[in-house]
Amino acid sequence: MKFLKQNKYVFFLRIALGISIIAIGYLTTMFYFQMKDLDSSFQSIENSNATQNELDHLFSILKEDEIKLSNLIIAEDIAFSKGIFSREEALSKIDRLKQLSFVHRFLHESILQLEVLIDKKYTLFQEIVVLSRKSSASEETFTEKLYENKRFNVELYSFLENELRPIIRGIQLHDSNYPEKISDTRKTVFILAIVSILIFLLSYSKMNDNLLILKKVNDDLRLLNETFNNAEKIAGFGYWKVNLKTNNYTFSDNFYRLLEEEKQHFHPSFENIIKYIHPDDHEYVAKTYQNSIESHIPTSILYRYILPSGVLKYVILTANFRTNNKGESIKIGVIHDVTEQFKKTFELEENNKKLIAINAELESFNNIASHDLQEPLRKIQMFISRIEANDLEAISESGKGYFDKIKLSANRMQNLMIDLVNYSRTIKSDKVFIKINLNEILKDVIDELAVNVQETKAKISIDELPEIFGTKFQIQQLFVNLISNSLKYTKPSVIPEIQISWVDSFMDNLKEAVNDASDKIISDKDYYKIIVSDNGIGFNQEYSHRIFQLFRRLETEITYTGTGLGLAICKKIIENHNGYIKAEGTLNVGAKFIIYLPKTL
């Protein structure tokens, strides 16, 4: 009788095992197709995001080329127009977009239309440049071509907003159920795990010798948990959960580590966590958390922690609501350490601000030195020359005085525009550094200023100077401006003496430098130190920073001619070369300009 009961038990046990195995087979197959579907959706989302990014990059290239075209036209620098546009880069973006959109027929057709528009866009660029070069081209034709370019911009951006972006948004909307698919897959995995555990339990009740297999499975699960903990450390995230019915919190080990605490260092609770949050974020985090609990709204916020060591850490918290098997509502959240990403983003924003400021300066200078300003000046100088050659004797003595002032003002205006163009070029020039022999540069500079040197009978002494890395024409412009400055601001009846020297051993504080290097110490290990000094009129040391500002000429406005741009150009050149410059002066004794240039790129 006992034997029959045992056989009956084994029979039902085998039936249960068979049903469980069939269920596992079914769930495994279901899981496979769900993962395949998830992979397809993920690839589609990835392609959509990549397409969006490539489109943004493409239109960024077009905007940059528009700016380049404007700069070429404004500055009349057409000689440098060859190869300046990024047509090849734009076409490479189009090729990438065609690859990404190949599986979406409507998107692919739109990309092909965009390729035609881009090709037409660069054709317009080239036609505008060609018209700019032709002296015979009428202003009306050139203006019409510019308006055609402007109208085409409207068409191009309209195509982007009304054709391309709606298609991409449609693809993304089509894949918006991706989280639901993940949720379904999780449920499948959960059910699969439950059924597997059932089989293990049934097997254990049938055969005690299967305990070794069960131990191995437990070891694998332990390894998986350790792997998850290691993944938390590497990825810089930690998770937490709270049972809204019991108000019991659970924190992962890495959650404590992110707070620089040992695991289980304090009892898991919101009150204990709020102590680590930055005081300025207390109210915001507490209010957001409370609103989320009351309304069951998912949470995604950025806030700061102050760790016990005093370190400030930026984290993103993402949380959502789930229901456990008891029907209790649970909020599960993940915090992700984004401190490094935040710092990089901040640095990028600062760099963008600097870029905007530089572009604003360029725009200002280019407007001043534009064609509309130069053309009237050329006509004024032409008429001055004709009057001086043919009708000067017919003018009264007072009229001649006025005429001389007109001529002087016109020449000063021309010098101002030349300096403005030079300053503009120092801002927008590419940093292509080569090895430069400063001795050869100074020889060319002295030859360029030979007339001024002879007129003033100046004595110029130059030490043997080192080789540096830099842009040749900018370094030459630097010394032309500095030496010209010394030749200009001389004392009456005193022969100018200019000394250019190289200090090979030093350790200086850059507190007085104009490049924002307060209290920075540099030495001959990393920098060359070159000094340009003179015995001219000098200046009060309190004005040492002002002389490098645009159009700043201190108290010498009437006695000495100049535009006030020479030293501003010097400052910009030094900044382009990652160096520093400072001025030292004594009124009626002389001035000294100290230059620090890096020894390596």
Side-chain angles (χ1 to χ4, degrees):
M1 190 71 177
K2 183 178 180 181
F3 176 77
L4 291 175
K5 288 182 179 179
Q6 186 176 3
N7 282 343
K8 188 176 181 180
Y9 171 77
V10 171
F11 175 77
F12 284 114
L13 186 61
R14 288 179 178 177
I15 291 176
L17 286 172
I19 293 173
S20 299
I21 291 172
I22 292 172
I24 285 181
Y26 171 77
L27 291 172
T28 302
T29 304
M30 192 164 137
F31 176 72
Y32 169 78
F33 286 106
Q34 286 177 339
M35 290 300 297
K36 189 174 181 181
D37 187 34
L38 280 175
D39 182 68
S40 176
S41 296
F42 177 80
Q43 187 64 42
S44 179
I45 292 171
E46 189 175 47
N47 282 355
S48 297
N49 293 336
T51 301
Q52 185 66 52
N53 289 336
E54 292 296 331
L55 281 173
D56 292 341
H57 291 164
L58 174 61
F59 279 83
S60 177
I61 292 169
L62 291 177
K63 290 179 181 178
E64 290 177 2
D65 283 346
E66 285 284 352
I67 294 173
K68 292 175 184 177
L69 179 65
S70 301
N71 289 341
L72 288 174
I73 295 171
I74 292 173
E76 296 187 344
D77 203 1
I78 304 303
F80 296 95
S81 63
K82 186 176 181 181
I84 194 170
F85 298 116
S86 305
R87 181 170 191 161
E88 295 301 324
E89 187 178 357
L91 292 178
S92 70
K93 295 293 182 185
I94 289 293
D95 291 338
R96 174 62 177 156
L97 286 169
K98 288 194 286 188
Q99 293 174 4
L100 292 171
S101 63
F102 187 76
V103 296
H104 297 288
R105 181 170 65 88
F106 293 107
L107 180 59
H108 191 69
E109 291 175 356
S110 296
I111 295 300
L112 294 177
Q113 296 179 39
L114 179 62
E115 183 179 21
V116 174
L117 293 174
I118 295 299
D119 185 71
K120 183 177 178 181
K121 179 66 178 174
Y122 279 101
T123 301
L124 275 174
F125 279 168
Q126 193 58 38
E127 291 174 354
I128 292 172
V129 170
V130 169
L131 286 175
S132 299
R133 290 174 172 169
K134 287 184 178 180
S135 59
S136 60
S138 68
E139 184 175 353
E140 181 179 353
T141 302
F142 183 71
T143 302
E144 178 57 31
K145 185 59 67 176
L146 289 177
Y147 275 112
E148 181 182 350
N149 181 59
K150 185 175 181 181
R151 290 192 298 270
F152 186 78
N153 282 344
V154 175
E155 178 184 351
L156 184 59
Y157 286 103
S158 175
F159 178 81
L160 172 66
E161 295 299 329
N162 298 329
E163 295 288 338
L164 275 177
R165 293 200 190 279
I167 294 175
I168 295 173
R169 284 194 292 268
I171 295 172
Q172 292 173 339
L173 183 62
H174 179 265
D175 295 318
S176 62
N177 62 343
Y178 185 76
E180 296 178 4
K181 293 179 181 179
I182 293 178
S183 178
D184 291 339
T185 303
R186 287 175 179 168
K187 292 177 182 177
T188 301
V189 173
F190 178 77
I191 296 172
L192 184 61
I194 293 298
V195 175
S196 299
I197 292 173
L198 178 61
I199 290 178
F200 291 143
L201 292 175
L202 291 172
S203 299
Y204 176 76
S205 65
K206 179 182 177 183
M207 297 173 291
N208 289 330
D209 57 352
N210 284 345
L211 287 174
L212 293 175
I213 298 175
L214 182 59
K215 183 178 181 301
K216 183 178 180 302
V217 172
N218 287 333
D219 290 340
D220 291 341
L221 289 174
R222 189 180 300 110
L223 177 61
L224 181 62
N225 187 52
E226 291 175 359
T227 302
F228 177 75
N229 288 335
N230 289 332
E232 276 191 309
K233 295 179 186 178
I234 296 171
F237 72 88
Y239 79 89
W240 59 268
K241 64 180 180 179
V242 55
N243 187 312
L244 299 183
K245 182 178 180 180
T246 63
N247 203 36
N248 290 331
Y249 285 79
T250 303
F251 297 156
S252 69
D253 292 347
N254 207 53
F255 190 96
Y256 289 97
R257 294 190 191 100
L258 289 176
L259 299 177
E260 292 185 350
E261 301 288 6
E262 295 294 330
K263 59 181 180 179
Q264 307 304 321
H265 175 73
F266 54 83
H267 179 70
S269 69
F270 182 76
E271 290 73 19
N272 287 332
I273 283 296
I274 201 74
K275 294 184 294 187
Y276 293 87
I277 297 176
H278 193 287
D280 293 343
D281 296 340
H282 274 187
E283 183 180 354
Y284 165 64
V285 174
K287 185 176 180 180
T288 303
Y289 178 78
Q290 189 61 37
N291 290 340
S292 174
I293 294 296
E294 292 175 357
S295 57
H296 277 224
I297 297 175
T299 307
S300 181
I301 58 173
L302 171 69
Y303 60 96
R304 296 165 291 177
Y305 280 129
I306 298 181
L307 305 184
S309 63
V311 173
L312 186 67
K313 183 171 290 189
Y314 291 83
V315 299
I316 289 179
L317 180 146
T318 303
N320 209 337
F321 293 88
R322 292 289 184 269
T323 302
N324 64 11
N325 55 0
K326 296 180 181 180
E328 298 168 339
S329 183
I330 296 174
K331 185 173 185 180
I332 302 175
V334 174
I335 62 168
H336 185 204
D337 182 3
V338 293
T339 305
E340 291 303 317
Q341 297 92 315
F342 188 86
K343 289 180 179 178
K344 290 178 181 178
T345 301
F346 181 77
E347 291 175 2
L348 181 62
E349 289 176 353
E350 290 300 311
N351 290 337
N352 286 339
K353 290 178 182 178
K354 292 178 182 179
L355 182 60
I356 291 172
I358 290 173
N359 287 337
E361 283 185 305
L362 276 174
E363 187 67 25
S364 175
F365 297 141
N366 287 335
N367 286 338
I368 293 175
S370 65
H371 178 271
D372 290 340
L373 188 60
Q374 294 185 45
E375 184 60 26
L377 181 60
R378 283 194 289 266
K379 290 181 179 180
I380 291 172
Q381 290 178 318
M382 179 186 70
F383 290 129
I384 288 174
S385 299
R386 290 182 181 179
I387 293 173
E388 192 173 29
N390 303 321
D391 303 313
L392 188 61
E393 295 302 324
I395 301 175
S396 66
E397 290 301 320
S398 61
K400 290 179 180 179
Y402 295 143
F403 181 81
D404 289 338
K405 291 180 179 180
I406 293 172
K407 181 178 178 182
L408 181 64
S409 297
N411 290 337
R412 188 172 184 276
M413 176 62 78
Q414 185 180 42
N415 292 334
L416 175 62
M417 285 191 293
I418 292 172
D419 282 351
L420 281 171
V421 172
N422 288 336
Y423 184 80
S424 176
R425 287 177 177 173
T426 61
I427 293 176
K428 66 182 180 179
S429 62
D430 295 331
K431 293 186 179 181
V432 181
F433 291 166
I434 61 173
K435 205 164 190 178
I436 299 173
N437 188 320
L438 288 181
N439 300 293
E440 295 178 359
I441 291 289
L442 264 296
K443 183 178 181 300
D444 294 338
V445 170
I446 298 303
D447 290 341
E448 183 177 341
L449 299 175
V451 175
N452 293 346
V453 172
Q454 291 174 3
E455 287 179 353
T456 58
K457 300 179 181 179
K459 297 179 181 179
I460 302 178
S461 175
I462 304 174
D463 287 354
E464 186 71 20
L465 300 177
E467 291 184 340
I468 67 166
F469 288 97
T471 303
K472 186 174 180 180
F473 87 90
Q474 288 195 15
I475 296 298
Q476 183 166 337
Q477 185 68 48
L478 169 70
F479 284 102
V480 166
N481 287 6
L482 289 176
I483 295 175
S484 297
N485 196 73
S486 295
L487 293 174
K488 184 186 300 181
Y489 298 109
T490 59
K491 291 181 286 189
S493 303
V494 176
I495 295 177
E497 294 182 5
I498 302 172
Q499 172 71 35
I500 303 174
S501 57
W502 169 33
V503 181
D504 59 357
S505 179
F506 67 92
M507 183 172 288
D508 291 353
N509 189 322
L510 295 177
K511 188 174 183 179
E512 297 297 324
V514 297
N515 304 55
D516 239 1
S518 301
D519 295 324
K520 179 177 180 179
I521 304 298
I522 64 172
S523 68
D524 55 281
K525 179 182 177 181
D526 301 310
Y527 288 86
Y528 294 110
K529 179 180 180 180
I530 300 168
I531 302 175
V532 179
S533 58
D534 61 52
N535 64 339
I537 62 173
F539 57 88
N540 288 324
Q541 184 61 29
E542 61 182 299
Y543 301 133
S544 61
H545 280 68
R546 291 174 58 189
I547 63 176
F548 291 101
Q549 297 174 4
L550 291 175
F551 306 107
R552 182 66 69 177
R553 299 183 59 246
L554 303 185
E555 70 273 13
T556 61
E557 188 74 36
I558 298 176
T559 308
Y560 299 91
T561 61
T563 64
L565 274 169
L567 293 180
I569 292 174
C570 292
K571 172 178 174 287
K572 185 58 65 176
I573 291 173
I574 292 298
E575 289 176 349
N576 289 346
H577 288 75
N578 302 317
Y580 304 95
I581 186 171
K582 62 180 181 178
E584 296 178 357
T586 303
L587 195 61
N588 296 321
V589 174
K592 182 188 296 184
F593 294 92
I594 305 172
I595 301 166
Y596 301 93
L597 292 170
K599 289 186 175 182
T600 58
L601 293 174

